Amino acid sequence: EVDPVMTCTVASSLQDPDRDGIPSSRDNCPDVANPNQADWDGDRIGNACDPDDDNDGIPDEQAMCPFDPDPIC
């Protein structure tokens, strides 16, 4: 017999693997939970998984100002 609770849980996790309440088809960061869907630079990659939040070509982890494309911010 199929357990409806288990079936629903599995189906939900496949549609929303990061469990942030946003289905993967609409999630701008489907593998990292980001329920607010923040996207500072408008590149359709959520801030939670965007390696370059200001699109200046410098990865955030190396940038002096990861949210400001001006290199001397």
Side-chain angles (χ1 to χ4, degrees):
E1 185 174 318
V2 175
D3 180 348
V5 173
M6 184 59 143
T7 302
C8 184
T9 302
V10 170
S12 293
S13 66
L14 291 175
Q15 294 173 6
D16 184 17
D18 62 5
R19 298 179 179 254
D20 62 3
I22 310 297
S24 290
S25 62
R26 294 190 347 241
D27 199 331
N28 64 12
C29 192
D31 296 322
V32 178
N34 63 331
N36 67 4
Q37 297 292 285
D39 180 13
W40 189 85
D41 58 3
D43 64 357
R44 297 184 179 167
I45 301 172
N47 293 350
C49 61
D50 191 341
D52 183 12
D53 281 306
D54 58 11
N55 283 338
D56 64 356
I58 302 169
D60 291 344
E61 61 192 31
Q62 298 172 2
M64 286 181 58
C65 304
F67 291 101
D68 187 343
D70 184 349
I72 22 184
C73 50

